[in-house]
Amino acid sequence: MSGYRDADGIGPGGGAAGAGEHGAGAWRRLSPRTLVVHCGWLGAPLGSLALTALATGGRITAGAWFTLGAIAAAFAVVTVAALIRWARTDFRVTGESLDVRSGLFTRRLRSVPLHRVRTVDLTASPLHRLLGVTVLRAGTAGSRDGGGELALDALPVAEGERLRVELLARAATGAGAEDPVLARISWRWLRYAPLTFWVVGGVFVAGGSAYRVLHEIGIEPWKLGFVRRAFAEFGNGMLWLTVPAALLAVIALGSVGAVVLYVENWWNYRLEWADAGSLRVHRGLLTTRSVTVERARLRGVVLCEPLLLRAGGGATVRAVAGGLGNKEENRKRSGLLPPAPRREAVRVAGGTLQSAFPDAALAHHPGVALTPHPRVALRRRRVRGLLFAVAPGTALLAGLGAAFTPVLLHAAWIYAVLATPVALWLARDAYRNLGHGIAGRHLIVRSGTFSRDTVALRREAVAAWTFTTSPFTRRAGLVTLTAAVAAGEEGYRIPDLAEGAAPGFAASAAPGILEEFLISPRRDGSTAST
């Protein structure tokens, strides 16, 4: 079990020598280049000062000089702290554990048994790559909130690769795939990059970030001459032309940004079985990332089909695995395939499971059929769409029209007329996407409309079931069933099952959890608790 203990009496501290010099189990030290990495934060404040000087024609105000002095003082403090941290941090890999000791006044030794290491993540930012170092993060059982994760920043790249092999040496063995490489990047997939909702939203997020940076350095964008002229020309033009042109410009900028991010995130992408016991994902252009997941900790996969990507015939694949960190880190590390053709996604999902992945439509998967959900679930989605999407917008426009201008009254009924069929169509799509079933060793769950997700989960990975109802679902005879898993999102929901069918399905999908709570009929026709 991982934990902290006082390091007094653990022996003399190791120097900078590596394992190759002192043999297995020798204490090793981080690269001294980590001191430069810790100073990378200087880029933002120094860049802000440079922009301020540029905007003011080279005049540095007293406040800017004060800021520069504060940066210099902070630089000195951070440099000394980093030097102490580097000098007082070392690690070793023994035959049984990974040990990391640190601390100046209170020395602590953290020891993690190798058999608890679930994933190894090597990440290198542009600064790390420039210095030839990488950050190693070892995810362990219990690292959902970062408490069980060990991070070493920064290691030489070659040593990081060697350490990864050492940490995963105890991975479960088994038959590997005939072809260890499951997928490589194909730049024909770039056409799927713009098919995300962030094509529009990302432009506004980037614009807001730029505005905040300019505002903080004393520049008001709205007062710049070319910005004021642009807005004046926009307002004086014909809105039926300028508004669509502006939307097209936003979509074009968002598409370019999406393609750039796609290239940055998935450059040199490769998904492969590193050996019989571990799955590895390598990707990244400026910031490289190499995530290795122990095969025994793969609990399943998720085939994700966001609405726009699904319309374009694409999908992505994510892993359901333990030891990937908290929810934020899990989103970063669990990606197995970038937006790609759906057929490729199904193939990669099956290669990861090392068994045929049930198609999301399941019409192409013989012997497997999703159980449809009651029709009342469709009614619930229609009501929610009308109540939470159509009614609020209509009421807001109508209220503003009554208070200010009749034009908004017309906008209210136009919005209602246009939004109602859209809401009903989305409700119908969400209902058609509902389904659950069992395919051999896997529990299959499908739901969602803005992102239709098909989860193939190992049945033995289900640790518990949660039955959730509300006054509305109880009246409709529905229940939401959640499978608790010590991996991925920790819980996978099956919404709006028939109340009478949910317990039986849960007992069939994961035997041994609910049987004692179920009621079975006796031979004489009465019932008895089992």
Side-chain angles (χ1 to χ4, degrees):
M1 179 177 295
S2 64
Y4 292 100
R5 63 176 182 269
D6 197 348
D8 290 338
I10 62 176
E21 184 176 338
H22 291 289
W27 289 100
R28 317 179 211 176
R29 185 166 290 172
L30 301 176
S31 170
R33 284 168 283 184
T34 187
L35 301 176
V36 181
V37 173
H38 283 292
C39 298
W41 64 272
L42 283 171
L46 291 179
S48 176
L49 283 174
L51 288 176
T52 301
L54 183 63
T56 58
R59 296 188 302 272
I60 304 298
T61 63
W65 283 113
F66 178 80
T67 302
L68 189 59
I71 292 174
F75 172 75
V77 172
V78 170
T79 301
V80 172
L83 178 61
I84 295 174
R85 180 181 177 183
W86 171 78
R88 301 295 289 172
T89 300
D90 44 16
F91 66 95
R92 70 179 179 183
V93 179
T94 67
E96 300 293 333
S97 64
L98 167 64
D99 303 329
V100 179
R101 59 185 183 184
S102 60
L104 176 60
F105 299 106
T106 302
R107 292 287 285 164
R108 293 188 298 179
L109 171 68
R110 188 175 186 182
S111 180
V112 177
L114 295 183
H115 67 82
R116 296 194 64 196
V117 175
R118 303 300 183 244
T119 61
V120 179
D121 181 357
L122 293 179
T123 305
S125 68
L127 181 58
H128 285 88
R129 297 182 66 185
L130 180 65
L131 297 173
V133 294
T134 186
V135 181
L136 183 143
R137 293 183 177 87
T140 67
S143 63
R144 293 292 306 175
D145 298 321
E149 183 177 84
L150 285 179
L152 297 174
D153 184 6
L155 292 170
V157 174
E159 176 138 6
E161 292 288 349
R162 287 196 299 269
L163 185 57
R164 171 165 58 183
V165 174
E166 290 183 75
L167 295 180
L168 295 174
R170 291 198 170 191
T173 60
E178 294 182 1
D179 184 0
V181 179
L182 295 180
R184 296 181 185 272
I185 190 63
S186 171
W187 294 118
R188 290 179 296 177
W189 301 348
L190 276 176
R191 66 183 186 272
Y192 295 103
L195 299 181
T196 65
F197 293 107
W198 280 102
V199 167
V200 176
V203 174
F204 291 102
V205 170
S209 301
Y211 174 83
R212 185 174 64 178
V213 171
L214 292 174
H215 179 74
E216 289 179 353
I217 64 177
I219 300 175
E220 294 292 340
W222 305 116
K223 296 181 180 179
L224 297 176
F226 71 94
V227 174
R228 299 178 65 177
R229 287 193 299 271
F231 273 91
E233 293 177 3
F234 181 84
N236 294 330
M238 293 179 289
L239 294 182
W240 63 276
L241 289 177
T242 55
V243 171
L247 291 177
L248 288 175
V250 169
I251 293 174
L253 287 174
S255 298
V256 172
V259 170
V260 171
L261 288 177
Y262 192 102
V263 173
E264 153 60 19
N265 289 330
W266 298 101
W267 181 268
N268 199 28
Y269 158 76
R270 186 174 67 257
L271 174 66
E272 62 184 351
W273 288 103
D275 50 48
S278 56
L279 183 69
R280 180 183 301 170
V281 184
H282 179 83
R283 60 187 177 90
L285 177 60
L286 298 179
T287 298
T288 60
R289 164 154 281 176
S290 181
V291 180
T292 305
V293 181
E294 186 183 356
R295 176 182 173 185
R297 297 301 162 183
L298 275 172
R299 304 305 189 191
V301 296
V302 184
L303 184 76
C304 304
E305 300 173 87
L307 187 61
L308 293 179
L309 187 59
R310 174 160 44 113
T316 64
V317 179
R318 309 191 72 85
V320 179
L324 292 179
N326 55 31
K327 287 187 176 181
E328 181 180 355
E329 286 298 322
N330 181 75
R331 294 189 188 100
K332 295 178 180 178
R333 299 176 182 176
S334 63
L336 298 181
L337 183 73
R342 189 177 179 280
R343 179 175 298 180
E344 178 72 9
V346 171
R347 187 190 67 80
V348 169
T352 302
L353 295 176
Q354 296 191 325
S355 64
F357 181 82
D359 196 325
L362 294 192
H364 307 293
H365 194 278
V368 179
L370 283 180
T371 301
H373 290 215
R375 291 280 298 180
V376 68
L378 172 60
R379 186 184 67 193
R380 293 192 70 240
R381 279 152 180 76
R382 286 173 173 170
V383 171
R384 283 186 294 181
L386 295 175
L387 285 179
F388 298 116
V390 179
T394 303
L396 177 62
L397 290 172
L400 293 175
F404 298 105
T405 173
V407 174
L408 293 178
L409 293 175
H410 293 288
W413 70 262
I414 292 174
Y415 172 81
V417 169
L418 296 177
T420 297
V422 173
L424 295 178
W425 179 83
L426 290 174
R428 176 71 177 177
D429 182 69
Y431 172 72
R432 292 180 62 185
N433 292 336
L434 284 177
H436 60 280
I438 298 174
R441 297 176 55 196
H442 296 94
L443 163 67
I444 311 300
V445 180
R446 189 183 68 187
S447 63
T449 182
F450 293 106
S451 179
R452 182 174 72 181
D453 296 341
T454 304
V455 183
L457 197 63
R458 285 169 53 183
R459 295 164 62 187
E460 65 268 22
V462 178
W465 291 103
T466 301
F467 294 78
T468 306
T469 61
S470 67
F472 301 104
T473 56
R474 285 195 295 270
R475 183 177 180 181
L478 301 175
V479 64
T480 293
L481 186 61
T482 303
V485 184
E489 299 292 330
E490 294 188 327
Y492 293 89
R493 299 172 66 250
I494 312 175
D496 293 347
L497 279 79
E499 189 175 28
F505 173 74
S508 300
I513 298 178
L514 294 177
E515 279 75 2
E516 62 178 307
F517 303 104
L518 299 181
I519 304 297
S520 62
R522 287 181 174 176
R523 293 183 179 180
D524 59 3
S526 61
T527 59
S529 172
T530 61

